[in-house]
Amino acid sequence: MRFYFSLLLFFAFGLTSVAQTDEFFESKATIGGYGELHYNYSKTENSKASKTLDFHRFVTFLSYNFNEKWSFKSEVELEHNFVQNGQGELELEQAYVEYRHADWFGFQAGVILPSVGLINEYHEPPLFFGVERPDYHNKIIPTTWFGNGIAFFGNYKSFDYKLTIMEGLNSDKFSESSAIRSGRVKGYKADAEELLYNLRVDYLGFNGLKVGGSYTYNNASGDTSQNAISIYEVHAAYRMNNLYIVFEYGNIDYEKYNLRKSNGFYLDLGYDISGLLNWKTKVIPFVRYSDYNTAASTITGGDSEKANHYSYWMVGCSVKPIDKVVFKIDYGMRTKELGSQETTLFNLGVGYMF
């Protein structure tokens, strides 16, 4: 453990000798944020429909640039309008000091995001299709995933990387229905005994294309259990010539107990038709297919695996009068393998970022 503190002190103090400040640089604070209002209709066969209207997220960014190399960034999020009696959430999702030595190297220290998949770090509503974030980024990758730690990042010859060392997960909270999602500690008096390690590498050498993957390891522990997990995922996004293609696949392996594997994927295909119609407003119809199973492999097998296996197809459209404001609509069918139970979903949404 002394190694990690020594490393942090080295970057916090040792690099100050090479952090030259431009005499013409003017320090400044910046405010930003994003938010989204959702209408959700859900109807499972032989049951009553659910209809909700929810301002799902209201997020404020606050940052300050001390000079050209040193800065502070933060994000505070309010979910579902208010917090009372266990309803709603108020979270400090990011709060870190950042140092940028050069394009090839920088670091962050504080409340940070591991670099897992395409959406965990970049999840503003105008940046993804569908009113809700893809189910994959709830059931397999537990977006938004944040915690206390340090990260090192950079870009060299079209390769972009990030190495994150942060608080581990609570293995007591792993389950067949939610995988590792409930195991996130979210920075609250996090146990630093078993740290989590995450490495992501992307290749950006082709116009409009990002392709890469990440690996995450944590010897997760709780009050009554210890269960090492490893996550590998691959992702690709192509946005060029009005065409949008997004693909992600992820897998979680568990060392102990009945649950041994969770995995899933999704594929988005969209096309901006505004160019064909000579419209200034972007109109992007899309289709999505997703398949995921939070209990893809268990020791007992049988219905426990089928009960958590879902396939989901969706059609929808994103309308952007400007790049940072989006109106969304989607319709889809989610099917549970056990009993072939179908749920019809219809969603409307408006989102913004600045």
Short mmCIF file of all heavy atoms in Angstrom, two decimals, residues 214-248:
data_model
loop_
_atom_site.label_atom_id
_atom_site.label_comp_id
_atom_site.label_asym_id
_atom_site.label_seq_id
_atom_site.Cartn_x
_atom_site.Cartn_y
_atom_site.Cartn_z
N SER A 214 -11.08 -3.20 -22.95
CA SER A 214 -10.53 -2.98 -21.61
C SER A 214 -10.55 -4.28 -20.81
O SER A 214 -11.30 -5.21 -21.12
CB SER A 214 -11.33 -1.90 -20.85
OG SER A 214 -12.61 -2.38 -20.49
N TYR A 215 -9.70 -4.29 -19.78
CA TYR A 215 -9.66 -5.42 -18.85
C TYR A 215 -9.69 -4.87 -17.44
O TYR A 215 -8.97 -3.89 -17.12
CB TYR A 215 -8.42 -6.27 -19.05
CG TYR A 215 -8.32 -7.42 -18.07
CD1 TYR A 215 -9.08 -8.57 -18.24
CD2 TYR A 215 -7.49 -7.34 -16.95
CE1 TYR A 215 -9.02 -9.62 -17.33
CE2 TYR A 215 -7.42 -8.38 -16.04
CZ TYR A 215 -8.18 -9.52 -16.24
OH TYR A 215 -8.13 -10.55 -15.33
N THR A 216 -10.48 -5.47 -16.58
CA THR A 216 -10.64 -5.04 -15.19
C THR A 216 -10.50 -6.23 -14.27
O THR A 216 -11.08 -7.30 -14.53
CB THR A 216 -12.01 -4.38 -14.98
OG1 THR A 216 -12.17 -3.29 -15.89
CG2 THR A 216 -12.16 -3.87 -13.55
N TYR A 217 -9.76 -6.04 -13.18
CA TYR A 217 -9.62 -7.11 -12.18
C TYR A 217 -9.81 -6.54 -10.78
O TYR A 217 -9.31 -5.45 -10.47
CB TYR A 217 -8.25 -7.77 -12.26
CG TYR A 217 -8.03 -8.81 -11.17
CD1 TYR A 217 -8.53 -10.10 -11.31
CD2 TYR A 217 -7.37 -8.48 -9.98
CE1 TYR A 217 -8.37 -11.04 -10.31
CE2 TYR A 217 -7.21 -9.41 -8.98
CZ TYR A 217 -7.71 -10.69 -9.14
OH TYR A 217 -7.55 -11.62 -8.14
N ASN A 218 -10.52 -7.29 -9.95
CA ASN A 218 -10.67 -6.93 -8.55
C ASN A 218 -10.91 -8.18 -7.71
O ASN A 218 -11.78 -8.99 -8.03
CB ASN A 218 -11.83 -5.95 -8.37
CG ASN A 218 -12.07 -5.56 -6.92
OD1 ASN A 218 -13.21 -5.55 -6.46
ND2 ASN A 218 -11.02 -5.23 -6.19
N ASN A 219 -10.10 -8.34 -6.68
CA ASN A 219 -10.34 -9.41 -5.70
C ASN A 219 -11.36 -8.88 -4.70
O ASN A 219 -11.03 -8.51 -3.58
CB ASN A 219 -9.03 -9.79 -5.01
CG ASN A 219 -9.19 -11.02 -4.13
OD1 ASN A 219 -10.13 -11.79 -4.28
ND2 ASN A 219 -8.27 -11.19 -3.20
N ALA A 220 -12.60 -8.83 -5.14
CA ALA A 220 -13.67 -8.16 -4.40
C ALA A 220 -13.91 -8.85 -3.06
O ALA A 220 -13.84 -10.08 -2.94
CB ALA A 220 -14.94 -8.16 -5.22
N SER A 221 -14.24 -8.04 -2.07
CA SER A 221 -14.49 -8.59 -0.73
C SER A 221 -15.66 -7.87 -0.08
O SER A 221 -15.97 -6.72 -0.41
CB SER A 221 -13.25 -8.47 0.14
OG SER A 221 -12.90 -7.11 0.34
N GLY A 222 -16.29 -8.55 0.85
CA GLY A 222 -17.38 -7.98 1.64
C GLY A 222 -17.25 -8.45 3.08
O GLY A 222 -16.23 -9.02 3.47
N ASP A 223 -18.29 -8.25 3.87
CA ASP A 223 -18.25 -8.68 5.27
C ASP A 223 -18.27 -10.19 5.40
O ASP A 223 -17.71 -10.75 6.35
CB ASP A 223 -19.45 -8.08 6.02
CG ASP A 223 -19.35 -6.58 6.16
OD1 ASP A 223 -18.22 -6.05 6.15
OD2 ASP A 223 -20.41 -5.92 6.29
N THR A 224 -18.91 -10.88 4.43
CA THR A 224 -19.08 -12.33 4.56
C THR A 224 -18.53 -13.12 3.38
O THR A 224 -18.71 -14.33 3.33
CB THR A 224 -20.58 -12.66 4.71
OG1 THR A 224 -21.29 -12.24 3.54
CG2 THR A 224 -21.17 -11.97 5.94
N SER A 225 -17.88 -12.45 2.42
CA SER A 225 -17.42 -13.17 1.23
C SER A 225 -16.21 -12.49 0.62
O SER A 225 -15.89 -11.34 0.91
CB SER A 225 -18.54 -13.23 0.18
OG SER A 225 -18.82 -11.94 -0.32
N GLN A 226 -15.53 -13.25 -0.23
CA GLN A 226 -14.46 -12.73 -1.08
C GLN A 226 -14.55 -13.45 -2.41
O GLN A 226 -14.63 -14.68 -2.46
CB GLN A 226 -13.09 -12.94 -0.44
CG GLN A 226 -11.97 -12.20 -1.17
CD GLN A 226 -10.74 -12.03 -0.31
OE1 GLN A 226 -10.52 -12.76 0.64
NE2 GLN A 226 -9.92 -11.04 -0.64
N ASN A 227 -14.57 -12.68 -3.50
CA ASN A 227 -14.83 -13.28 -4.80
C ASN A 227 -14.11 -12.46 -5.88
O ASN A 227 -14.53 -11.34 -6.20
CB ASN A 227 -16.34 -13.30 -5.07
CG ASN A 227 -16.71 -14.18 -6.26
OD1 ASN A 227 -15.84 -14.73 -6.94
ND2 ASN A 227 -18.00 -14.32 -6.50
N ALA A 228 -13.02 -12.97 -6.41
CA ALA A 228 -12.28 -12.26 -7.45
C ALA A 228 -13.09 -12.24 -8.74
O ALA A 228 -13.66 -13.26 -9.16
CB ALA A 228 -10.93 -12.92 -7.69
N ILE A 229 -13.13 -11.08 -9.40
CA ILE A 229 -13.82 -10.95 -10.67
C ILE A 229 -12.88 -10.37 -11.72
O ILE A 229 -11.95 -9.61 -11.39
CB ILE A 229 -15.09 -10.08 -10.56
CG1 ILE A 229 -14.74 -8.64 -10.11
CG2 ILE A 229 -16.09 -10.70 -9.60
CD1 ILE A 229 -14.79 -7.62 -11.20
N SER A 230 -13.09 -10.76 -12.96
CA SER A 230 -12.37 -10.16 -14.08
C SER A 230 -13.37 -9.82 -15.16
O SER A 230 -14.30 -10.58 -15.42
CB SER A 230 -11.28 -11.10 -14.60
OG SER A 230 -11.84 -12.30 -15.06
N ILE A 231 -13.19 -8.65 -15.77
CA ILE A 231 -14.09 -8.16 -16.81
C ILE A 231 -13.26 -7.87 -18.05
O ILE A 231 -12.27 -7.15 -17.98
CB ILE A 231 -14.81 -6.87 -16.39
CG1 ILE A 231 -15.50 -7.03 -15.04
CG2 ILE A 231 -15.81 -6.44 -17.46
CD1 ILE A 231 -16.00 -5.72 -14.45
N TYR A 232 -13.65 -8.44 -19.16
CA TYR A 232 -13.07 -8.00 -20.42
C TYR A 232 -14.19 -7.56 -21.33
O TYR A 232 -15.28 -8.13 -21.33
CB TYR A 232 -12.21 -9.08 -21.08
CG TYR A 232 -12.93 -10.33 -21.50
CD1 TYR A 232 -13.57 -10.41 -22.74
CD2 TYR A 232 -12.95 -11.46 -20.68
CE1 TYR A 232 -14.22 -11.56 -23.15
CE2 TYR A 232 -13.60 -12.62 -21.08
CZ TYR A 232 -14.23 -12.66 -22.31
OH TYR A 232 -14.88 -13.81 -22.70
N GLU A 233 -13.94 -6.49 -22.05
CA GLU A 233 -14.96 -5.99 -22.98
C GLU A 233 -14.27 -5.40 -24.20
O GLU A 233 -13.14 -4.92 -24.13
CB GLU A 233 -15.85 -4.94 -22.30
CG GLU A 233 -15.17 -3.72 -21.74
CD GLU A 233 -14.97 -2.61 -22.77
OE1 GLU A 233 -15.63 -2.61 -23.82
OE2 GLU A 233 -14.13 -1.73 -22.52
N VAL A 234 -14.97 -5.46 -25.33
CA VAL A 234 -14.50 -4.85 -26.58
C VAL A 234 -15.60 -3.92 -27.08
O VAL A 234 -16.79 -4.14 -26.83
CB VAL A 234 -14.16 -5.91 -27.64
CG1 VAL A 234 -12.96 -6.73 -27.22
CG2 VAL A 234 -15.35 -6.82 -27.92
N HIS A 235 -15.18 -2.89 -27.78
CA HIS A 235 -16.15 -1.90 -28.25
C HIS A 235 -15.66 -1.25 -29.53
O HIS A 235 -14.47 -1.18 -29.80
CB HIS A 235 -16.39 -0.83 -27.18
CG HIS A 235 -15.12 -0.21 -26.66
ND1 HIS A 235 -14.53 -0.59 -25.46
CD2 HIS A 235 -14.30 0.73 -27.19
CE1 HIS A 235 -13.43 0.12 -25.27
NE2 HIS A 235 -13.27 0.93 -26.31
N ALA A 236 -16.62 -0.79 -30.32
CA ALA A 236 -16.30 -0.09 -31.56
C ALA A 236 -17.42 0.89 -31.86
O ALA A 236 -18.61 0.59 -31.64
CB ALA A 236 -16.13 -1.07 -32.72
N ALA A 237 -17.05 2.07 -32.34
CA ALA A 237 -18.03 3.08 -32.72
C ALA A 237 -17.56 3.75 -34.01
O ALA A 237 -16.41 4.22 -34.08
CB ALA A 237 -18.22 4.11 -31.62
N TYR A 238 -18.43 3.79 -35.00
CA TYR A 238 -18.13 4.44 -36.27
C TYR A 238 -19.17 5.52 -36.51
O TYR A 238 -20.38 5.25 -36.53
CB TYR A 238 -18.15 3.44 -37.42
CG TYR A 238 -17.86 4.06 -38.77
CD1 TYR A 238 -16.55 4.36 -39.14
CD2 TYR A 238 -18.90 4.36 -39.66
CE1 TYR A 238 -16.28 4.94 -40.39
CE2 TYR A 238 -18.63 4.93 -40.89
CZ TYR A 238 -17.32 5.22 -41.25
OH TYR A 238 -17.05 5.80 -42.47
N ARG A 239 -18.71 6.76 -36.67
CA ARG A 239 -19.60 7.90 -36.93
C ARG A 239 -18.98 8.72 -38.06
O ARG A 239 -18.09 9.52 -37.82
CB ARG A 239 -19.79 8.73 -35.67
CG ARG A 239 -20.45 7.97 -34.52
CD ARG A 239 -20.58 8.84 -33.27
NE ARG A 239 -21.26 8.15 -32.19
CZ ARG A 239 -20.66 7.43 -31.26
NH1 ARG A 239 -19.33 7.31 -31.29
NH2 ARG A 239 -21.34 6.83 -30.30
N MET A 240 -19.45 8.49 -39.27
CA MET A 240 -18.87 9.15 -40.44
C MET A 240 -19.87 9.08 -41.59
O MET A 240 -20.60 8.08 -41.71
CB MET A 240 -17.56 8.45 -40.84
CG MET A 240 -16.68 9.25 -41.77
SD MET A 240 -15.83 10.59 -40.90
CE MET A 240 -14.79 11.21 -42.23
N ASN A 241 -19.92 10.14 -42.40
CA ASN A 241 -20.77 10.16 -43.59
C ASN A 241 -22.23 9.85 -43.25
O ASN A 241 -22.91 9.10 -43.96
CB ASN A 241 -20.25 9.18 -44.64
CG ASN A 241 -18.84 9.52 -45.08
OD1 ASN A 241 -18.48 10.68 -45.25
ND2 ASN A 241 -18.01 8.48 -45.22
N ASN A 242 -22.71 10.41 -42.13
CA ASN A 242 -24.09 10.27 -41.65
C ASN A 242 -24.44 8.86 -41.16
O ASN A 242 -25.60 8.60 -40.80
CB ASN A 242 -25.09 10.67 -42.75
CG ASN A 242 -24.98 12.14 -43.11
OD1 ASN A 242 -24.69 12.98 -42.26
ND2 ASN A 242 -25.19 12.44 -44.38
N LEU A 243 -23.46 7.96 -41.15
CA LEU A 243 -23.69 6.59 -40.70
C LEU A 243 -23.19 6.40 -39.27
O LEU A 243 -22.11 6.88 -38.91
CB LEU A 243 -22.97 5.61 -41.63
CG LEU A 243 -23.09 4.11 -41.32
CD1 LEU A 243 -24.54 3.66 -41.45
CD2 LEU A 243 -22.19 3.31 -42.25
N TYR A 244 -24.00 5.72 -38.45
CA TYR A 244 -23.66 5.46 -37.05
C TYR A 244 -23.71 3.95 -36.80
O TYR A 244 -24.75 3.31 -37.03
CB TYR A 244 -24.65 6.14 -36.11
CG TYR A 244 -24.65 7.65 -36.17
CD1 TYR A 244 -25.24 8.33 -37.24
CD2 TYR A 244 -24.08 8.41 -35.16
CE1 TYR A 244 -25.26 9.71 -37.31
CE2 TYR A 244 -24.09 9.80 -35.21
CZ TYR A 244 -24.68 10.44 -36.28
OH TYR A 244 -24.69 11.81 -36.34
N ILE A 245 -22.60 3.39 -36.36
CA ILE A 245 -22.54 1.98 -35.99
C ILE A 245 -21.87 1.87 -34.63
O ILE A 245 -20.76 2.40 -34.44
CB ILE A 245 -21.76 1.14 -37.03
CG1 ILE A 245 -22.33 1.32 -38.43
CG2 ILE A 245 -21.77 -0.34 -36.63
CD1 ILE A 245 -21.50 0.64 -39.51
N VAL A 246 -22.52 1.21 -33.70
CA VAL A 246 -21.96 1.03 -32.35
C VAL A 246 -22.10 -0.44 -31.96
O VAL A 246 -23.20 -1.01 -32.12
CB VAL A 246 -22.67 1.92 -31.31
CG1 VAL A 246 -22.09 1.69 -29.92
CG2 VAL A 246 -22.58 3.39 -31.69
N PHE A 247 -21.02 -1.01 -31.46
CA PHE A 247 -21.06 -2.40 -30.98
C PHE A 247 -20.26 -2.52 -29.70
O PHE A 247 -19.16 -1.97 -29.59
CB PHE A 247 -20.48 -3.36 -32.02
CG PHE A 247 -20.38 -4.78 -31.53
CD1 PHE A 247 -21.50 -5.59 -31.48
CD2 PHE A 247 -19.18 -5.30 -31.07
CE1 PHE A 247 -21.42 -6.90 -31.02
CE2 PHE A 247 -19.08 -6.60 -30.61
CZ PHE A 247 -20.22 -7.40 -30.58
N GLU A 248 -20.82 -3.25 -28.73
CA GLU A 248 -20.10 -3.53 -27.49
C GLU A 248 -20.41 -4.96 -27.03
O GLU A 248 -21.55 -5.42 -27.13
CB GLU A 248 -20.49 -2.56 -26.38
CG GLU A 248 -20.13 -1.11 -26.67
CD GLU A 248 -20.24 -0.24 -25.44
OE1 GLU A 248 -19.47 -0.48 -24.48
OE2 GLU A 248 -21.08 0.67 -25.43
#
